[in-house]
Amino acid sequence: MTTPAGNDSSALFRVEGHAQDQSRMYLAGRDLYQTTFSGPPPTPVTALHTLPRDVVAFTGRDSELRRLLRTADTRAAEVLAIHTIDGMPGVGKTALVTHAAHLLADRYPDGQLFVHLAAHTSGQPPADPAEVLAALLLGAGVAPQHIPDGVEARAALWRARLAGKRVLLVLDDAASRTQIEPLLPSSGGCLVLITSRRRLLALDGTVPLPLETLPPKQATALFTRLIHRNVTEKESEAAAEVVKLCGYLPLAIRLLAAHLAHHPTWDIATYAHEFATAQDLLGELEAGDRAVTAAFDLSYHALSADQQRLFRRLCLHPGPEIGTYAAAALDDLSLAQARRRLNALYTDHFIDEPAPGRYRMHDLIREYALALAAGDPDDDRQYAIIRLYAYYQRVAQVAKYFLSFPRPQAAADEAPVPIAELVNREQALTWVRTERPNLIACVNYAALHRQHTRVIQLTDAMSSFPSEENHWQEDISLYEKALTAARHSGDRLAQANALRHLCWTQLSGGQYSAPADLAEKSLALYRSIGHQHGEANALHALSHTRRLTGRYEAATDLAEQALTLHKSLGDRHGEAKGLLALAWLRRVATAEYEAATALAEQALALYKSLEHQIGEASALCELRVIRQLSGEYDAAADLAGKALVLYRNLGNRYGEALALQGLSRAQEAIGDYEAAADFAEQALALYRTLGDRHGEAEGLQALGKVRLATGDHETAAVLAEQALAIYRALNFGHGEANALHALAQTRYLSGAFETATELLAQARALFQSFGDDHGEAEVLNSTGALLAQSSGPAESRVAYRQALQLARRAQAPLEEAKALEGVARTQMRCGQRQAALDGLRAAVAIYQRIGAAEAESALAHLASLQNRAFSRSPGQP
């Protein structure tokens, strides 16, 4: 007979051993049984349906469930299916497999078994596979006296009992391969689902299913289901914030929801605010004997002491993720040691690996690690941070060496260096783009802790990093911190550098008012300390601010001063840069295309002599624009093609996109719209691949211009709207103004005059706010054309005359000619024939002088007017 012999707190099956010659004691669940035999043993009772109850309010995991359910449909009958579901504590592994097992139960009629292996059960060692097998055999109907001793014998009997059967076996919270292997059936009709906090790399023949945290919408849905309330729209926003603070971890969400479910008078929004402002987030995530901290503790204590120390130090890193080299510096390890220990933490789901060699912590695990690290000696933490900053500082300086031109001599001895494997420009660019968020985080941390020298050094190293990424707001904040640090430390050179860098970043971000003041202050500081190289660079920056606001005369004077100073210093790179700036000004300000060409060609020759291929490509791009404006379209296309080859040889994909855009404009100018569209689309695709949002908007504008020229107004409008949305998201006001103007043109040509008028007014207001006379003149010329169609010649003439005044002030000859032609057309409609002819002749002369494409049509119109006997009524042109 079999009688209960007592209770035990254990939740696992295990063999207790022999009690007498004819009796054995077994623990099944929480009940201890002793079997005695006075005659023939009784027939055992089978227990092959031991799934726990299904999960209440199971939410989400649709793709994971489909994957597990599909296994039963698609696997071969003779092949055993084994799936390992691994993930961090509290991510919902047991809930997923329990729910999946209930859905699959009818497909496995011979049994559905759930075995808890207790790898992470408080106060209990992991289950012994021999003891688990004894309990499984008992449940499978094997008499106690027939259960053999030893793991191998029991495993063989277990496999024999399952032969030819269709059984679903769930092994929950597994510790290792050695614990699992003996429990696996050999029958092809069986399915095994294994959960573990560890990645079971050594277990052969399994299909891994790493379980991540819930997607935000699923996490919010779980929370709202568990609190058993009708949630308003406002409350749903609070619920979304709560689950975000929980890191979308199901255990944390369930614990918080339990508090609200049992306190119906609590307000969700108030509770969300209290949780968000709590000093101890993990302390809030407790409910009875369930707690997030307790779940993490069990996994943490299973780590070795070395792994525990690295885990505590990783949370000291201020950035979003960490690389292997930085981790080695942080914990004072060799690279090989760091790799092994990081891999161990990854295997145990303490860290994720979003990219090869890149690691990050879940938010709640970071909170847990920070709480542990707070118990370490202050000196240990500080030395770890100092080593980390020293690493970033050194590699940033090496990257600066490869990215600067000319290369700083002081850094030559440091490059190349073994750390981070930076041996050329391409590797430096990759490192910079990867580590940029971490460097920004380090600067912010140093600024917060008043480490002024560290802020200055890191920002100085980052000043040579590529600006094409368009992190303008981040850069502005970065250099503002550098300026504050320089002022606190009394470093006047660092102040001047920070002011100059801040000027350039604000200009790049479309802010045109403050940068001039910054450049002037930078210039004054450089002069006060006798730093002529800085003075020349500040003059260049100040010139750029003047030209962006249409003050071309002042911009030219400053550029000439900068060029003279660069020459006197023997700074050939600065000289080439100055020549290129003056070429732009001659082209735009006075339409002196011959002078502009000569300056650009000098810059090109100088860059070639310096073997500075990026500068050479920039000069080619400027020459392309000049040739195109001069009507030399074939030459323009050839120059753009040469620039494209250079950029591609350099692997400079941003330059490649710029050159493709130039080729598009060159082909558009000669009327080859198919080729123009193809180049524009290539440029646009490249900008998108690079994640360059500003470049993407520019590409959309270029493609939109081609579509407009071919009469596809609808597509042109869509492209302009997309560009407008990007410029607004980037807070780039100048681009926004141009996109509004382009969109207005599409609306005008589609006959939507009222909408076009409103868009033009918005664009004009933006150009006015920047002091951009040239841009405002362009808008006014478009406004004049619209008013000529919608309101009449009088209103149209006012707009054209305003455009004419601004174009002359901005020295913008193309817009001046367009305004003259527009005024002439209104005069013809009002019968002022001689004035109209005079104005049209002046416009044609400008068009011809600058080689504008509009010259041909304007000349034909002038000729027809001169040869016609003015027989039409005064109201007609």
Side-chain angles (χ1 to χ4, degrees):
M1 62 180 295
T2 303
T3 58
N7 293 322
D8 191 281
S9 60
S10 173
L12 296 170
F13 305 107
R14 57 190 172 94
V15 178
E16 289 293 309
H18 298 281
Q20 300 173 3
D21 288 343
Q22 293 296 319
S23 70
R24 287 189 181 182
M25 299 175 69
Y26 292 96
L27 186 67
R30 296 177 182 272
D31 297 321
L32 181 65
Y33 292 88
Q34 181 176 353
T35 61
T36 60
F37 307 105
S38 56
T43 302
V45 178
T46 59
L48 292 176
H49 305 280
T50 62
L51 293 182
R53 66 189 176 96
D54 202 355
V55 180
V56 176
F58 187 87
T59 303
R61 302 295 191 197
D62 297 333
S63 62
E64 292 90 345
L65 274 173
R66 281 196 300 271
R67 179 171 166 181
L68 294 176
L69 297 178
R70 193 164 53 243
T71 298
D73 297 327
T74 59
R75 65 181 177 77
E78 68 276 5
V79 178
L80 172 66
I82 306 173
H83 287 258
T84 56
I85 296 87
D86 56 74
M88 65 181 288
V91 80
K93 302 179 293 294
T94 302
L96 173 64
V97 296
T98 300
H99 189 59
H102 277 278
L103 296 174
L104 289 165
D106 61 345
R107 307 185 196 186
Y108 297 92
D110 298 321
Q112 310 93 39
L113 295 169
F114 188 99
V115 182
H116 183 51
L117 297 180
H120 300 91
T121 299
S122 180
Q124 183 176 329
D128 186 326
E131 298 172 357
V132 174
L133 282 166
L136 286 170
L137 289 167
L138 269 177
V142 178
Q145 71 272 23
H146 294 151
I147 297 176
D149 292 326
V151 172
E152 292 184 6
R154 290 178 181 180
L157 180 57
W158 171 239
R159 290 192 292 270
R161 296 291 294 187
L162 295 184
K165 291 184 170 59
R166 292 180 60 80
V167 172
L168 169 61
L169 177 62
V170 177
L171 302 177
D172 185 49
D173 195 19
S176 64
R177 182 193 67 82
T178 55
Q179 185 191 40
I180 298 166
E181 194 71 54
L183 311 180
L184 298 177
S186 58
S187 173
C190 296
L191 170 64
V192 183
L193 303 179
I194 306 169
T195 73
S196 178
R197 295 186 184 182
R198 308 190 77 242
R199 291 177 167 88
L200 300 170
L201 307 179
L203 189 62
D204 296 332
T206 66
V207 180
L209 176 59
L211 206 59
E212 306 295 337
T213 54
L214 285 171
K217 289 185 178 179
Q218 292 182 18
T220 304
L222 174 63
F223 182 78
T224 54
R225 287 185 66 181
L226 291 172
I227 62 177
H228 305 294
R229 301 187 193 183
N230 292 323
V231 178
T232 65
E233 184 176 346
K234 183 178 180 181
E235 288 174 329
S236 66
E237 294 177 3
E241 183 61 26
V242 166
V243 299
K244 181 180 179 182
L245 290 168
C246 287
Y248 308 113
L249 186 68
L251 174 61
I253 293 167
R254 287 181 175 275
L255 293 175
L256 274 190
H259 287 289
L260 272 176
H262 288 84
H263 292 84
T265 60
W266 286 7
D267 175 68
I268 298 177
T270 302
Y271 184 60
H273 175 72
E274 290 175 353
F275 180 57
T277 56
Q279 295 296 313
D280 180 12
L281 285 181
L282 292 174
E284 299 290 320
L285 299 174
E286 296 181 3
D289 61 349
R290 300 181 74 195
V292 171
T293 299
F296 291 166
D297 278 340
L298 292 166
S299 293
Y300 174 74
H301 291 310
L303 298 174
S304 69
D306 288 339
Q307 291 166 357
Q308 288 179 348
R309 187 185 66 249
L310 176 58
F311 173 68
R312 296 194 305 274
R313 288 182 174 172
L314 287 177
C315 71
L316 302 177
H317 186 276
E321 63 181 42
I322 190 170
T324 308
Y325 285 91
L330 189 63
D331 202 27
D332 199 16
L333 302 172
S334 70
L335 195 61
Q337 288 175 317
R339 283 176 175 150
R340 286 195 298 271
R341 293 177 192 175
L342 286 166
N343 189 56
L345 292 175
Y346 170 74
T347 299
D348 284 350
H349 280 283
F350 276 105
I351 54 178
D352 294 323
E353 189 178 18
R358 308 294 299 175
Y359 301 92
R360 66 184 176 199
M361 282 182 166
H362 183 275
D363 290 346
L364 291 182
I365 287 184
R366 180 182 286 274
E367 288 287 330
Y368 174 74
L370 284 168
L372 293 174
D376 290 337
D378 287 345
D379 286 350
D380 284 358
R381 296 198 305 273
Q382 288 304 313
Y383 287 140
I385 293 171
I386 288 170
R387 287 193 300 270
L388 178 71
Y389 272 76
Y391 162 77
Y392 278 128
Q393 177 65 35
R394 183 180 178 192
V395 185
Q397 288 293 346
V398 173
K400 179 179 180 178
Y401 168 82
F402 285 114
L403 297 174
S404 296
F405 190 88
R407 290 182 177 176
Q409 294 301 313
D413 295 337
E414 298 181 17
V417 291
I419 55 172
E421 299 179 347
L422 299 191
V423 296
N424 55 40
R425 177 182 172 83
E426 289 69 30
Q427 290 180 355
L429 279 171
T430 299
W431 186 86
V432 164
R433 288 164 180 160
T434 301
E435 297 292 354
R436 178 186 170 83
N438 289 327
L439 294 171
I440 293 288
C442 286
V443 171
N444 291 339
Y445 180 91
L448 183 65
H449 292 82
R450 299 181 179 277
Q451 298 171 358
H452 304 310
T453 301
R454 187 73 72 187
V455 172
I456 293 168
Q457 289 174 340
L458 277 176
T459 52
D460 177 69
M462 294 174 69
S463 66
S464 63
F465 292 178
S467 59
E468 306 99 332
E469 304 284 355
N470 299 315
H471 300 285
W472 294 315
Q473 293 306 316
E474 278 186 354
D475 287 343
I476 288 170
S477 176
L478 177 74
Y479 290 118
E480 285 175 343
K481 288 181 174 67
L483 181 58
T484 300
R487 285 171 174 165
H488 280 299
S489 62
D491 188 334
R492 299 176 71 197
L493 177 59
Q495 288 181 55
N497 289 336
L499 285 164
R500 179 167 55 85
H501 293 314
L502 189 55
C503 166
W504 281 112
T505 53
Q506 288 191 353
L507 288 173
S508 298
Q511 301 177 24
Y512 297 150
S513 54
D517 180 60
L518 295 169
E520 287 173 345
K521 288 178 179 177
S522 174
L523 179 61
L525 271 171
Y526 282 128
R527 283 174 171 168
S528 69
I529 59 177
H531 196 287
Q532 289 187 304
H533 192 271
E535 179 183 348
N537 286 328
L539 284 165
H540 181 66
L542 187 57
S543 171
H544 199 71
T545 66
R546 300 299 187 229
R547 87 182 200 185
L548 284 174
T549 53
R551 297 174 60 184
Y552 296 135
E553 186 175 345
T556 301
D557 178 61
L558 290 162
E560 287 173 342
Q561 290 183 50
L563 179 59
T564 300
L565 195 48
H566 280 304
K567 285 181 176 178
S568 70
L569 293 168
D571 179 3
R572 300 178 72 203
H573 175 259
E575 181 182 348
K577 180 173 64 175
L579 287 166
L580 210 52
L582 276 174
W584 189 96
L585 285 162
R586 292 285 186 258
R587 167 172 63 84
V588 174
T590 58
E592 297 177 58
Y593 294 145
E594 288 187 11
T597 300
L599 290 164
E601 287 177 342
Q602 289 179 52
L604 177 61
L606 196 47
Y607 278 128
K608 282 183 175 179
S609 70
L610 293 168
E611 297 183 354
H612 190 278
Q613 291 183 308
I614 290 181
E616 182 181 345
S618 298
L620 287 168
C621 287
E622 175 60 27
L623 279 169
R624 190 277 305 170
V625 177
I626 297 170
R627 297 300 188 202
Q628 186 162 334
L629 289 172
S630 302
E632 301 174 52
Y633 302 132
D634 290 338
D638 180 62
L639 289 162
K642 289 179 178 177
L644 180 62
V645 170
L646 272 176
Y647 281 129
R648 282 178 171 167
N649 288 342
L650 290 166
N652 188 319
R653 303 182 74 196
Y654 294 94
E656 180 182 348
L658 179 65
L660 285 166
Q661 200 165 305
L663 276 169
S664 171
R665 296 192 181 280
Q667 296 302 318
E668 179 206 348
I670 61 175
D672 189 348
Y673 297 125
E674 184 176 349
D678 179 57
F679 286 127
E681 286 170 348
Q682 287 185 55
L684 179 58
L686 193 49
Y687 280 130
R688 283 173 169 165
T689 300
L690 294 166
D692 184 346
R693 298 283 284 162
H694 181 267
E696 180 182 354
E698 293 288 303
L700 288 165
Q701 288 272 71
L703 186 57
K705 190 173 181 183
V706 178
R707 298 303 182 210
L708 194 64
T710 57
D712 188 354
H713 303 156
E714 184 176 345
T715 301
V718 170
L719 293 166
E721 286 171 342
Q722 291 176 358
L724 179 61
I726 293 173
Y727 285 132
R728 283 176 170 167
L730 294 173
N731 194 29
F732 184 53
H734 205 276
E736 180 181 351
N738 282 323
L740 284 166
H741 186 197
L743 185 58
Q745 289 177 307
T746 68
R747 299 302 186 216
Y748 159 64
L749 291 171
S750 300
F753 294 157
E754 186 175 343
T755 302
T757 300
E758 183 180 344
L759 292 167
L760 287 169
Q762 293 177 40
R764 184 185 179 190
L766 278 172
F767 282 125
Q768 283 179 324
S769 70
F770 306 141
D772 187 343
D773 292 341
H774 189 286
E776 188 180 355
E778 288 182 341
V779 172
L780 283 167
N781 274 328
S782 294
T783 303
L786 185 151
L787 291 172
Q789 293 290 324
S790 60
S791 300
E795 292 83 350
S796 175
R797 191 184 310 166
V798 171
Y800 279 127
R801 282 180 171 166
Q802 289 176 325
L804 181 61
Q805 181 180 5
L806 288 169
R808 285 172 172 167
R809 188 163 72 192
Q811 301 180 61
L814 179 60
E815 297 310 315
E816 179 182 357
K818 286 181 178 180
L820 285 167
E821 184 180 1
V823 170
R825 289 181 181 276
T826 64
Q827 289 171 332
M828 284 298 300
R829 291 181 65 182
C830 294
Q832 300 172 13
R833 297 172 183 171
Q834 189 55 51
L837 285 169
D838 291 343
L840 193 54
R841 289 190 187 99
V844 168
I846 296 174
Y847 284 141
Q848 290 178 325
R849 176 168 60 85
I850 65 175
E854 291 83 355
E856 186 176 350
S857 62
L859 184 60
H861 186 209
L862 176 61
S864 69
L865 291 178
Q866 289 174 332
N867 295 329
R868 281 161 56 183
F870 296 100
S871 58
R872 296 187 178 184
S873 64
Q876 294 179 304

